[in-house]
Structures are given as C-alpha cells and as structure tokens.
Amino acid sequence: MSAGTVRSAQAGTTEPVWVRWSLISLALVFVFLFLLLPLAAVFTEALRKGLPAALEALREPDAWSAIRLTLLTAAVAVPLNLVFGVAAAWAVAKYEFKGKAFLTTLIDLPFSVSPVVAGLVYVLMFGAQGWIGPWLMAHDIKIVFAVPGIILATVFVTFPFIARELIPLMQAQGTEEEQAAMVLGATGWQTFWHVTLPNIKWGLVYGVILCNARAMGEFGAVSVVSGHIRGQTNTLPLHVEILYNEYQSVAAFAVASLLALLALLTLLIKSVVEWQFERDQKAAVDLPPERPAVSSPTSVATP
Amino acid sequence: MTAAVLSATLGSSGSRPKRAARRVLPGFNLTLGYTLFYLSLIVLIPLSALLFKTFTLTWDQFWTAVASPRVLASYRLTFGASFLAALFNVFAGLLLAWVLVRYSFPGKKIIDALVDLPFALPTAVAGISLTALLAGNGWIGQYLEPLGIQLAFNRNGIVIALIFISLPFVVRTVQPVLEDAEKELEEAATCLGASRFQTFRYVIFPGIAPALLTGFAMAFARAVGEYGSVIFIAGNMPMVSEITPLIIIGKLEQYDYAGATAVATVMLGISFVLLLVINGLQSWQRRRAGGKT
C-alpha cells in the first residue's frame, strides 16, 4: 500500500514509465552514436594491424619529439594561465571596481575567437612582415614557425580556462573568511595560502585539468604558427594530421589514441574532483550557517 | 563584532564603509595590475595587431577580400552548418540534461562524465575518427552508402563534426537549472489539473528557456570558429564545402596576409558580437534565477 501512495505522489512530477524509458533509450542511442562510437573507432583503427604496429608508430623519433613538444607546451602554458587565473579571480571576486563586467568579458574573449584567428594574430605580430618581425630577424630570434610561437598560441587559446572556474567560485565564497584572517593578524600571503587556497582547491584542480587537456590537444591555432617542421615544431595533434594525410592510417590513429587516452584520463580526474567537491559541500552543509554552501564548479559550463 | 573592529581600523575612510571594507584585503593593485598586464600581452596587443593590419588595407582591398564569391559561400556554409548543429544540440542537449537530472538508470554517472568528451578530446582526433566512421568503408558509412546517403566529405560531414564538438554546451547550461527547478511548482500545476505536457510547456520550459538559449549561443559561437575537426571530414571543395577558417589558412599559405587579415577581422567581429550576446543572455538567466528565489 505504501508503494502505491509513493507512486501516486510522484505522478505529478514525473512521466509515465514508457515515456521515461523511451527518453532514456533515445538519449543512450544518441550518446552511443555521437560519443562512444567515435571514441571506440580511434582505438580500433589504431589496432587494425595489431598492437605491435601501433606501438611501432609511437616509437618513431618524430612521434617522440612531438610528445616532448606537447609536454613542454603544456608545462609552460598551464602554469602561466594558472598564475593569471588566480590573480584575475582575486581581483574580480574580492573587490568592486569600475569596468569589472567589461574585464570579465575580455577574459572570456579567447573562448570565442576562432583558433585560426588566434594563430594568425601571432603571425601578424612576430612574422617576417609583422610588427616586430624585422627586429626579431635582425637579432636572430625565431618566434613564429618555432617553439615559442606554438607556446604563445597555446597560451592564448587556454587563457580563460582557470580564471573562468575560479571567478564564480570565489565570488560565491565572498570575503568574510579572508577578512577574519586579516583581523586576526594574518599577512596577505598567509591569508591566501591558509584561507583562500583550501577553499578553491577543487575549482583550481578542475580548471588546471581542462586547461591542460586543451593545451595538449590544440590544433587550429598551433597549426597556423607551427610551420609543420617534422621532428621540430610538430605537436601531437599536428603529427596526427601529417600521418593521416600521408595515408599512414594505423600510425595516425595510434598517436590519436594516445590523445584519446589523455582525454579519458581528463574526464576521470574531472569526475573525481566533482565527487570530492560534492562531498565537501555535503560536509559543509552539516556545519552551522556561518559557513554557507557555495555553488559547485560544475554549475558553470566551460568549453 | 568583526564589523566594529573593521570600522575602527578603517578610521577616516568611513564615508563609504561598504566599499572600504572590501578593500581591507591586500593585493588589489598587484592582482588587478598583473591581470591587465597579462591580458594585454597575450590577448589585447595581438588582437590589436590584427586590427591595425586591417587599417593598412584600402577599402577596395578589404572588400574584395571579404566579399568575393568564394568567401561569401564560406560564410553561408559556416553559419548555416553551425546553426543547424547548434539547433540539433538544443534538442539533443535538452534530452540528455533531462534524462541525467530527472531519471536514474544504470551507467548514469559514466554517461554524465562522457558528455564532456568533446571538450577533452583534441579536435583533430575527433575529425579523423568521425571520418573513419562515416567514410564509405567505415562502420556507419558502409551501411549508408548503398542507400545513397553520404555523410563524409561533404556538408553533412561538417554538420556532424560541429554537432560533436558543440554537444556539451546545452547539456551543461541546462543541467544545473533543471537541478535547481522547484518540484513544488510542478506539483501545483498537476494539482490544478495540468497534464504532464502542459506542465512542461508552461511551468518547466519557461524556467529553462534562458539556459537553452545561452547553450545554443555558446554552441553556435564555438562551431563558427571550429577548424580542427571539420577539415578532415569536409572534403574542402571551394564554393561547396570550404569553411571560413580554412579560407584564412588558404590565404596564409599563399602569403596573402592582407586577405587573411581582412577575413579574420570579419570573424573576430562576429565572435565579439556573439560574446556580448552570450553575456547578455547569461545575465538575463541570472536575473531570472535571482527573481525566483
């Protein structure tokens, strides 16, 4: 009898069983076709001629140098945008000043600029016919069609990732805890390390993970500034393109599956972070209302 | 008590206590200064290089570059395909968000995590993988080709690639709004005799409409600029399946910097307008959410 009353109470806010299951099936078919199949295709195509052939493609010197360059690019771009993200979030979230809305819009700008345009602006600045191109050439400094250009273009396209995660998070948390720390005699740095940082740690990890995935996987912007010199200015995604265009399908998909594994790892860490964050939130809800819950980092859609 | 201590330490600047209290925290000049410095260095100065380069062109040069038939065809294709992909994702995204928030089924957490795959998977990988699936000898293509349906190496492929890369936006904007939606309103609607469809149409849908529109705009903006996934599957035939970012690359490869710059400026202008639209939509959404509670 009790089951019956529960069902009738819920009937007002849910659909008949057949509607529910057809919607779920439709969603699952969509996820299967658009997400799972492309993912499975990467690994299947890589293993078409067996595992040794796929591993062979990863052992090539060109593949190795692409891996090294990709790691180097991410190792420079992510910390730069991390420092910026924290500074920008602190400035935007903790103070009121004129033009704040405009500043946040500008921080978001790299998200909506086409990657190709992002690459082009650096060619226009540092290229042979660019603003400071002639000066750079006279001093024998290469930026475009060399590693620094690749890093700059990557920094541009990953620019807003960490700032965008932290700004809403820190705004929701307000300044009360920091003010309390200051009143109790902490210095600015102590306040940041011991009060702010523990509060934003999950948002920080979340932003770093997404920033890293984009930094390692960026294609359009890097393609414009790279010059495509094998073994020198090829990142992993560019290496995939070259192999694919040379009809070395197995090798291309072998390198691509390396990137797909990175994507899966990113999704895994991201989910773990979200679960941790939710757990912390639940713990915080149990506390008295002096520590109000803040919005989750997942509530902001971030490309 | 904290407030008393604060106002005591603030002393003379008590004329605007609220603003002054916020400035108690140190680091305003440092963080804002660094933010502006880094923003200028990485984003603003390079983008202004693009604008300055455009201003060195004569009006005729600019116009022939941005309005030649081949470039105009690429705008039509880019915007048309992006619109179709974003529209498709409004429905698919709403369906996914709805199923993920309202129902429980096995594997839900995995599906929820997988939705972000297009953000995490490099676009070049998505491009070659979708091409491998949809080409005439691919897993899906081999069944469709006998039926006369070709999905790769033409405009269909472009739309499919754009659906893939812009898939998470609508899901991730609608999901939190659905989670926060008050079930009491739906119960009230049912008690007042509304059918489930009427409840959706008149109670739930108005609440999520701003989020849907924001997600649509974000998906559209992303799709317009997309390059990596599209070029593998598009076939890239001039006038037929050549997207605007590829036009820029083509001009660059022919050392036509002026032409590339002109087309890029048009794209930059469009991105900026889209960004302002998205910001407007988001603040509308926030006002809606704020007004309800």
Side-chain angles (χ1 to χ4, degrees):
Chain A
M1 198 199 95
S2 67
T5 40
V6 167
R7 204 178 304 129
S8 61
Q10 276 184 344
T13 53
T14 192
E15 289 73 38
V17 176
W18 68 271
V19 175
R20 250 181 291 165
W21 280 104
S22 25
L23 288 179
I24 291 175
S25 317
L26 200 61
L28 288 180
V29 167
F30 175 71
V31 167
F32 176 77
L33 281 180
F34 274 88
L35 295 173
L36 275 180
L37 265 189
L39 193 61
V42 176
F43 296 109
T44 322
E45 292 287 325
L47 298 173
R48 184 162 287 235
K49 289 182 182 148
L51 188 62
L55 290 178
E56 194 56 43
L58 297 178
R59 267 200 290 270
E60 290 248 330
D62 286 346
W64 264 113
S65 77
I67 292 174
R68 274 200 306 274
L69 181 56
T70 299
L71 291 176
L72 171 74
T73 307
V76 179
V78 175
L80 278 177
N81 285 335
L82 174 65
V83 172
F84 162 73
V86 173
W90 184 272
V92 170
K94 303 289 182 194
Y95 309 101
E96 292 300 327
F97 54 90
K98 265 194 188 136
K100 195 158 106 169
F102 187 61
L103 179 65
T104 14
T105 305
L106 284 181
I107 291 175
D108 276 350
L109 189 56
F111 269 154
S112 47
V113 172
S114 171
V116 171
V117 177
L120 174 71
V121 296
Y122 286 104
V123 174
L124 291 179
M125 269 193 63
F126 301 114
Q129 287 131 352
W131 270 5
I132 44 180
W135 184 87
L136 290 172
M137 267 215 282
H139 291 77
D140 207 26
I141 305 170
K142 280 205 81 165
I143 291 188
V144 170
F145 310 128
V147 174
I150 292 177
I151 294 176
L152 273 174
T154 306
V155 170
F156 183 99
V157 293
T158 58
F159 183 85
F161 274 84
I162 297 168
R164 273 204 79 158
E165 284 308 322
L166 292 185
I167 289 173
L169 188 64
M170 278 165 77
Q171 265 172 341
Q173 282 168 347
T175 57
E176 284 79 10
E177 292 187 33
E178 280 84 0
Q179 284 178 358
M182 299 297 295
V183 168
L184 292 171
T187 66
W189 281 113
Q190 282 173 326
T191 308
F192 176 73
W193 282 110
H194 298 292
V195 177
T196 311
L197 207 54
N199 275 339
I200 61 169
K201 63 173 187 257
W202 294 125
L204 211 61
V205 176
Y206 196 87
V208 165
I209 288 296
L210 293 179
C211 182
N212 180 65
R214 181 73 193 266
M216 289 191 171
E218 177 53 27
F219 178 77
V222 171
S223 160
V224 176
V225 293
S226 121
H228 303 276
I229 309 163
R230 274 185 105 138
Q232 282 180 39
T233 60
N234 251 349
T235 60
L236 277 176
L238 296 178
H239 193 57
V240 170
E241 185 201 18
I242 288 186
L243 292 171
Y244 188 81
N245 288 340
E246 286 172 350
Y247 298 102
Q248 301 193 46
S249 175
V250 168
F253 278 100
V255 179
S257 49
L258 207 60
L259 289 166
L261 283 177
L262 172 78
L264 286 179
L265 185 69
T266 304
L267 292 184
L268 180 72
I269 300 176
K270 189 178 151 291
S271 304
V272 170
V273 167
E274 282 167 13
W275 298 331
Q276 291 286 333
F277 189 86
E278 270 170 32
R279 210 193 52 190
D280 284 12
Q281 285 306 108
K282 286 214 182 80
V285 168
D286 295 336
L287 288 175
E290 291 93 82
R291 269 193 69 150
V294 293
S295 68
S296 108
T298 52
S299 65
V300 183
T302 316
Chain B
M1 196 198 85
T2 322
V5 177
L6 278 178
S7 53
T9 40
L10 287 169
S12 58
S13 63
S15 57
R16 283 152 82 187
K18 189 154 190 199
R19 165 163 291 197
R22 287 189 174 257
R23 290 277 165 87
V24 167
L25 294 182
F28 177 70
N29 290 333
L30 176 73
T31 53
L32 187 65
Y34 183 71
T35 302
L36 292 176
F37 166 75
Y38 188 75
L39 180 73
S40 311
L41 198 69
I42 299 293
V43 179
L44 298 182
I45 295 176
L47 286 181
S48 60
L50 182 75
L51 294 183
F52 276 107
K53 178 81 181 173
T54 309
F55 287 132
T56 63
L57 307 177
T58 66
W59 178 248
D60 281 344
Q61 272 178 315
F62 180 78
W63 190 248
T64 38
V66 301
S68 73
R70 191 172 158 185
V71 180
L72 287 179
S74 85
Y75 298 144
R76 274 196 295 275
L77 173 66
T78 305
F79 292 111
S82 302
F83 181 82
L84 286 179
L87 192 67
F88 180 89
N89 274 332
V90 166
F91 293 101
L94 176 60
L95 172 72
L96 266 176
W98 181 268
V99 165
L100 286 173
V101 172
R102 290 296 173 102
Y103 306 147
S104 61
F105 53 94
K108 185 168 135 170
K109 277 197 166 174
I110 298 173
I111 304 282
D112 195 12
L114 259 185
V115 166
D116 281 325
L117 181 71
F119 287 158
L121 193 70
T123 51
V125 177
I128 63 169
S129 153
L130 287 172
T131 311
L133 282 176
L134 300 177
N137 56 355
W139 287 356
I140 299 179
Q142 59 179 323
Y143 299 110
L144 295 178
E145 203 165 65
L147 305 173
I149 305 170
Q150 252 208 331
L151 293 183
F153 311 120
N154 56 22
R155 293 173 170 193
N156 297 337
I158 299 179
V159 176
I160 290 171
L162 293 180
I163 288 175
F164 177 84
I165 55 113
S166 61
L167 187 151
F169 288 98
V170 174
V171 185
R172 293 303 185 222
T173 44
V174 173
Q175 214 174 0
V177 181
L178 268 182
E179 268 163 10
D180 290 346
E182 291 163 54
K183 285 229 167 170
E184 288 80 358
L185 288 176
E186 293 171 40
E187 277 166 19
T190 313
C191 292
L192 294 171
S195 73
R196 191 62 192 148
F197 178 76
Q198 283 172 322
T199 309
F200 179 82
R201 170 70 188 77
Y202 296 106
V203 177
I204 302 173
F205 185 75
I208 57 175
L212 270 178
L213 212 55
T214 309
F216 171 83
M218 284 175 149
F220 182 75
R222 172 71 204 268
V224 164
E226 176 58 15
Y227 172 73
S229 57
V230 173
I231 52 159
F232 293 100
I233 206 170
N236 303 326
M237 295 213 319
M239 303 296 294
V240 179
S241 58
E242 193 180 36
I243 54 166
T244 310
L246 185 65
I247 295 260
I248 298 175
I249 299 262
K251 285 184 188 290
L252 266 182
E253 277 169 357
Q254 293 158 11
Y255 300 102
D256 177 10
Y257 285 90
T261 308
V263 178
T265 307
V266 171
M267 287 216 73
L268 182 68
I270 292 164
S271 327
F272 198 70
V273 170
L274 283 173
L275 183 66
L276 292 179
V277 169
I278 291 169
N279 271 13
L281 285 172
Q282 275 175 331
S283 61
W284 177 42
Q285 192 184 333
R286 267 195 299 272
R287 276 201 306 277
R288 268 289 186 84
K292 218 163 52 176
T293 45

